[in-house]
Amino acid sequence: KYSKASETLDRFLSKYPSEAHGHGARYYLGQSLLFGGKTKESIPAFQATIENLGKTPDSVEARLYLGRAYLDSDLFTEAYLVSEEIIKITGIHSTYRSKALLLRAQAQVGLKQNVEAEKTLASFQAAADQDPELENELANSFLISLLLKGNRCD
Protein backbone atom coordinates (compact mmCIF):
# COMPACT_ATOMS: atom_id res chain seq x y z
CA LYS A 1 0.00 0.00 0.00
CA TYR A 2 2.75 2.46 0.90
CA SER A 3 4.62 1.95 -2.37
CA LYS A 4 1.44 2.51 -4.37
CA ALA A 5 0.69 5.65 -2.36
CA SER A 6 4.20 7.01 -2.84
CA GLU A 7 4.04 6.33 -6.60
CA THR A 8 0.69 8.14 -6.87
CA LEU A 9 1.89 11.12 -4.81
CA ASP A 10 5.13 11.31 -6.76
CA ARG A 11 3.18 11.40 -10.05
CA PHE A 12 0.91 14.11 -8.65
CA LEU A 13 3.89 16.24 -7.60
CA SER A 14 5.59 15.71 -10.97
CA LYS A 15 2.44 16.77 -12.81
CA TYR A 16 1.58 19.71 -10.50
CA PRO A 17 4.85 20.89 -8.93
CA SER A 18 3.52 24.31 -7.94
CA GLU A 19 0.16 23.07 -6.66
CA ALA A 20 -0.99 25.12 -3.66
CA HIS A 21 -1.43 21.95 -1.63
CA GLY A 22 1.91 20.51 -2.71
CA HIS A 23 3.30 20.67 0.83
CA GLY A 24 0.50 18.33 1.93
CA ALA A 25 1.26 15.93 -0.91
CA ARG A 26 4.98 16.05 -0.04
CA TYR A 27 4.17 15.41 3.61
CA TYR A 28 2.13 12.31 2.72
CA LEU A 29 4.79 11.23 0.23
CA GLY A 30 7.32 11.39 3.04
CA GLN A 31 5.07 9.33 5.30
CA SER A 32 4.42 6.69 2.65
CA LEU A 33 8.13 6.38 1.92
CA LEU A 34 9.05 6.26 5.62
CA PHE A 35 6.41 3.69 6.52
CA GLY A 36 7.18 1.74 3.35
CA GLY A 37 10.76 1.25 4.50
CA LYS A 38 12.34 3.84 2.18
CA THR A 39 13.66 5.90 5.03
CA LYS A 40 16.39 7.89 3.28
CA GLU A 41 14.10 8.61 0.34
CA SER A 42 11.54 10.14 2.73
CA ILE A 43 13.94 12.80 4.00
CA PRO A 44 13.73 15.21 1.01
CA ALA A 45 9.92 15.08 1.09
CA PHE A 46 9.82 16.09 4.75
CA GLN A 47 12.50 18.75 4.19
CA ALA A 48 10.47 20.27 1.35
CA THR A 49 7.34 20.26 3.51
CA ILE A 50 9.17 22.01 6.33
CA GLU A 51 10.74 24.54 3.98
CA ASN A 52 7.27 25.39 2.69
CA LEU A 53 5.69 25.68 6.15
CA GLY A 54 8.58 27.38 7.93
CA LYS A 55 8.88 27.39 11.70
CA THR A 56 5.18 27.19 12.38
CA PRO A 57 3.19 24.85 14.60
CA ASP A 58 1.92 23.20 11.38
CA SER A 59 5.45 22.08 10.55
CA VAL A 60 5.97 20.16 13.79
CA GLU A 61 4.60 16.79 12.68
CA ALA A 62 6.72 16.90 9.52
CA ARG A 63 9.74 17.71 11.70
CA LEU A 64 8.99 14.78 14.00
CA TYR A 65 8.79 12.44 11.01
CA LEU A 66 11.99 13.93 9.60
CA GLY A 67 13.67 13.25 12.94
CA ARG A 68 12.39 9.65 12.85
CA ALA A 69 13.77 9.25 9.31
CA TYR A 70 17.13 10.59 10.46
CA LEU A 71 17.19 8.20 13.42
CA ASP A 72 16.28 5.25 11.22
CA SER A 73 19.10 6.28 8.85
CA ASP A 74 21.61 6.52 11.74
CA LEU A 75 21.90 10.28 11.21
CA PHE A 76 21.86 11.05 14.90
CA THR A 77 23.28 14.56 14.77
CA GLU A 78 20.61 15.59 12.27
CA ALA A 79 17.89 14.03 14.43
CA TYR A 80 19.20 15.90 17.45
CA LEU A 81 19.16 19.19 15.54
CA VAL A 82 15.57 18.60 14.42
CA SER A 83 14.54 18.00 18.03
CA GLU A 84 16.14 21.31 18.99
CA GLU A 85 14.26 23.10 16.20
CA ILE A 86 10.94 21.69 17.42
CA ILE A 87 11.56 22.67 21.03
CA LYS A 88 12.31 26.26 19.96
CA ILE A 89 9.05 26.69 18.00
CA THR A 90 6.65 28.84 19.97
CA GLY A 91 2.98 28.06 20.24
CA ILE A 92 3.18 24.28 19.90
CA HIS A 93 1.25 21.86 22.07
CA SER A 94 3.15 20.37 25.00
CA THR A 95 2.62 16.87 23.55
CA TYR A 96 4.75 17.79 20.53
CA ARG A 97 7.39 19.35 22.74
CA SER A 98 7.51 16.09 24.72
CA LYS A 99 7.78 14.03 21.53
CA ALA A 100 10.72 16.24 20.58
CA LEU A 101 12.34 15.39 23.92
CA LEU A 102 11.95 11.70 23.15
CA LEU A 103 13.46 12.26 19.71
CA ARG A 104 16.35 14.12 21.34
CA ALA A 105 16.93 11.30 23.84
CA GLN A 106 17.05 8.73 21.02
CA ALA A 107 19.53 10.88 19.11
CA GLN A 108 21.66 11.33 22.22
CA VAL A 109 21.80 7.56 22.70
CA GLY A 110 22.94 7.18 19.10
CA LEU A 111 25.60 9.84 19.72
CA LYS A 112 26.69 8.01 22.90
CA GLN A 113 25.73 11.02 25.02
CA ASN A 114 24.35 8.73 27.69
CA VAL A 115 24.26 11.13 30.65
CA GLU A 116 22.45 13.76 28.59
CA ALA A 117 20.10 11.12 27.19
CA GLU A 118 19.17 9.99 30.70
CA LYS A 119 18.34 13.57 31.69
CA THR A 120 16.31 14.15 28.53
CA LEU A 121 14.49 10.85 29.00
CA ALA A 122 13.64 11.81 32.59
CA SER A 123 12.16 15.08 31.32
CA PHE A 124 10.09 13.18 28.77
CA GLN A 125 8.87 10.67 31.35
CA ALA A 126 7.83 13.45 33.74
CA ALA A 127 5.80 15.01 30.92
CA ALA A 128 4.36 11.63 29.89
CA ASP A 129 3.06 11.07 33.40
CA GLN A 130 0.92 14.20 32.96
CA ASP A 131 -0.12 13.73 29.31
CA PRO A 132 -2.32 10.76 28.30
CA GLU A 133 -1.62 11.54 24.63
CA LEU A 134 1.94 10.30 25.18
CA GLU A 135 0.87 6.81 26.24
CA ASN A 136 1.82 5.37 22.84
CA GLU A 137 5.32 6.81 23.20
CA LEU A 138 6.07 4.96 26.44
CA ALA A 139 7.28 1.88 24.54
CA ASN A 140 9.91 4.03 22.82
CA SER A 141 10.84 5.47 26.19
CA PHE A 142 11.33 1.95 27.56
CA LEU A 143 13.45 1.03 24.54
CA ILE A 144 15.68 4.04 25.11
CA SER A 145 16.09 3.00 28.76
CA LEU A 146 17.21 -0.45 27.62
CA LEU A 147 19.66 1.05 25.13
CA LEU A 148 21.11 3.23 27.87
CA LYS A 149 21.56 0.22 30.13
CA GLY A 150 23.24 -1.62 27.27
CA ASN A 151 25.58 1.32 26.69
CA ARG A 152 26.62 1.25 30.35
CA CYS A 153 27.65 -2.38 29.93
CA ASP A 154 29.91 -1.62 26.94
Side-chain angles (χ1 to χ4, degrees):
K1 290 182 180 182
Y2 292 120
S3 64
K4 181 72 172 162
S6 61
E7 289 170 16
T8 302
L9 289 163
D10 201 29
R11 276 196 310 273
F12 173 83
L13 289 166
S14 294
K15 192 171 183 178
Y16 306 105
S18 60
E19 172 66 31
H21 299 288
H23 64 275
R26 282 183 193 84
Y27 172 75
Y28 291 118
L29 173 62
Q31 279 188 325
S32 64
L33 291 167
L34 181 64
F35 298 142
K38 296 181 178 180
T39 305
K40 287 190 178 182
E41 291 91 336
S42 73
I43 292 171
F46 290 124
Q47 289 172 328
T49 301
I50 292 164
E51 186 176 315
N52 187 280
L53 294 174
K55 292 189 177 193
T56 63
D58 290 341
S59 73
V60 174
E61 283 192 37
R63 289 175 194 279
L64 286 168
Y65 282 120
L66 177 61
R68 167 61 40 214
Y70 283 144
L71 286 175
D72 291 349
S73 300
D74 293 336
L75 299 170
F76 303 115
T77 300
E78 290 83 349
Y80 180 87
L81 293 172
V82 167
S83 73
E84 289 296 302
E85 288 176 9
I86 295 168
I87 290 168
K88 290 178 183 175
I89 296 173
T90 57
I92 65 170
H93 193 276
S94 62
T95 299
Y96 289 128
R97 193 169 307 285
S98 297
K99 287 181 179 186
L101 287 173
L102 188 60
L103 175 63
R104 181 197 292 174
Q106 289 174 290
Q108 289 169 322
V109 169
L111 294 168
K112 304 290 189 219
Q113 297 174 351
N114 297 333
V115 173
E116 294 87 352
E118 287 177 0
K119 291 176 186 175
T120 303
L121 187 58
S123 295
F124 166 79
Q125 289 170 334
D129 288 343
Q130 306 299 316
D131 188 344
E133 291 184 46
L134 293 171
E135 186 175 326
N136 292 337
E137 304 297 333
L138 292 176
N140 286 334
S141 173
F142 180 70
L143 176 63
I144 295 169
S145 296
L146 291 176
L147 290 171
L148 284 167
K149 288 178 184 176
N151 285 351
R152 278 189 232 123
C153 294
D154 288 345

